[in-house]
Amino acid sequence: FFHTGAGPQDLFLRWKADSLVTDDDIFGATKGCVVLIADLLSDEEGWSWDNDRSRYDQTRNKVLSHDDNGVRSNLQQRILAAISALEDMPTVDKTRLAALGWCFGGHPIAEFGRIQHPGIRAIASFHGVFDGILDSDNVSSNDDGDDYLPETIKKQQQKDATTIEGETEALICNGLDDPFVSRSALTTCQSIFANANIECTVREFSDVRHGFTNPAQDFNPNPNFQYDDDAASQSWLACRSLLKRAFFSATPPSIES
C-alpha cells in the first residue's frame, strides 16, 4: 500500500488493509494475504499531515526528483525496498504480488510500469496523482528496453529472474473533478503502461473530487477534497475484482450491499 504519508497518523491505510486481509471472498481459500504499508517519505512522526507543508514538499520533491531522462531513481529504490521487505516474509508468495496506491501513491503505481517487477500481477490507483512524470518515449533505452534503469534496479530484476512472470493488469480510478490530476498526466501514465504491455482500465467518476475513497474527507474544509460513497464502493469493487482475477483467475467477487 502506498499513500501520501504512511506515518502514525495514517489510519486510513490501516482500515483499508484490515478490510483486505479479512476479505474471505478473495483470499478465504488461501488463508488470507499479507499487506505491507510502505512509507515512501520516511515519516516516523506524522509531519506529512501537518498544516505546514514545507517539510512534506521538500521530502516529496526529493523522492520524485529525476535525471535528464526522467528516471526517478530515489522513488524506484524505495519501491523496491518495500517489495524486498515483503518478499522476505516467509508466508508471501513472490509470484502473486499487487500494489495499491492512493493520492501520492499514484506515483509508485505509475513507476511499476517502468520497473516491471516479475511478481507484480495487479496495480491499482485511487485518486492517484501523476504530476511530473515523463512519457516513456522521452526515456532513452537500448534494444533491451532497460538502459534507463539504475544499476540497483537491474540487480533487483536479476535477483528476481527466477520468479514466475505473469501478466500485469492496472486499474486507475479517478474523479473527473479532481484538480490534482491533469488530463495530460493521466494520459502519460496510460502511455507508460501501454509501452510496458500492461493492460490498463480507467474508471472515471463524474462530479467526484480528490480523496473520494476516504470518509474523513467529509471533514476536510478544502473544497478540492470530498468523500463519495458511490465512487468509493465502485472503485473498491473494481479493485477486488482485479485482485481475484489476477491472483486466481476466478469469478470476480460479488457486489456487497
Side-chain angles (χ1 to χ4, degrees), residues 174-178 204-210 212 226-228 231:
N174 181 56
L176 286 174
D177 285 354
D178 189 334
E204 298 199 278
F205 303 96
S206 300
D207 303 317
V208 171
R209 305 173 197 173
H210 192 67
F212 61 81
Q226 186 177 45
Y227 173 67
D228 188 283

Side-chain angles (χ1 to χ4, degrees), residues 92-155:
V92 170
D93 183 349
K94 296 181 181 181
T95 69
R96 294 194 294 182
L97 304 177
L100 310 183
W102 289 260
C103 304
F104 175 76
H107 281 287
I109 297 305
E111 209 65 30
F112 275 107
R114 289 175 172 163
I115 295 175
Q116 298 184 43
H117 188 281
I120 296 291
R121 298 292 185 86
I123 49 181
S125 168
F126 305 88
H127 40 86
V129 294
F130 312 109
D131 56 296
I133 60 175
L134 300 180
D135 192 292
S136 297
D137 291 340
N138 294 326
V139 178
S140 61
S141 63
N142 59 18
D143 293 337
D144 295 327
D146 65 352
D147 198 37
Y148 69 91
L149 291 173
E151 286 301 318
T152 53
I153 309 298
K154 295 179 183 178
K155 290 179 181 179

Side-chain angles (χ1 to χ4, degrees), residues 15-16 205-209 211-215 217-218 226-237 256-257:
W15 170 56
K16 297 306 293 184
F205 303 96
S206 300
D207 303 317
V208 171
R209 305 173 197 173
F212 61 81
T213 64
N214 190 346
Q217 297 298 353
D218 277 346
Q226 186 177 45
Y227 173 67
D228 188 283
D229 185 67
D230 182 65
S233 299
Q234 291 302 314
S235 60
W236 191 242
L237 174 64
E256 298 178 346
S257 59

Side-chain angles (χ1 to χ4, degrees), residues 37-181:
I37 299 176
D39 186 349
L40 296 178
L41 303 180
S42 301
D43 175 11
E44 298 180 356
E45 304 169 3
W47 47 260
S48 56
W49 303 100
D50 289 345
N51 290 329
D52 181 357
R53 309 302 288 164
S54 57
R55 185 175 180 182
Y56 166 78
D57 290 339
Q58 182 180 14
T59 306
R60 184 186 194 274
N61 291 337
K62 180 179 180 180
V63 172
L64 296 182
S65 62
H66 57 75
D67 61 18
D68 293 340
N69 289 324
V71 180
R72 301 187 294 184
S73 57
N74 288 336
L75 176 60
Q76 291 180 351
Q77 289 167 4
R78 293 183 184 217
I79 292 171
L80 288 179
I83 294 177
S84 294
L86 188 63
E87 290 179 328
D88 286 343
M89 298 180 186
T91 58
V92 170
D93 183 349
K94 296 181 181 181
T95 69
R96 294 194 294 182
L97 304 177
L100 310 183
W102 289 260
C103 304
F104 175 76
H107 281 287
I109 297 305
E111 209 65 30
F112 275 107
R114 289 175 172 163
I115 295 175
Q116 298 184 43
H117 188 281
I120 296 291
R121 298 292 185 86
I123 49 181
S125 168
F126 305 88
H127 40 86
V129 294
F130 312 109
D131 56 296
I133 60 175
L134 300 180
D135 192 292
S136 297
D137 291 340
N138 294 326
V139 178
S140 61
S141 63
N142 59 18
D143 293 337
D144 295 327
D146 65 352
D147 198 37
Y148 69 91
L149 291 173
E151 286 301 318
T152 53
I153 309 298
K154 295 179 183 178
K155 290 179 181 179
Q156 180 68 30
Q157 290 185 336
Q158 292 169 1
K159 173 184 174 183
D160 297 325
T162 57
T163 304
I164 300 175
E165 185 171 0
E167 294 184 356
T168 302
E169 279 192 65
L171 170 68
I172 299 176
C173 298
N174 181 56
L176 286 174
D177 285 354
D178 189 334
F180 305 113
V181 184

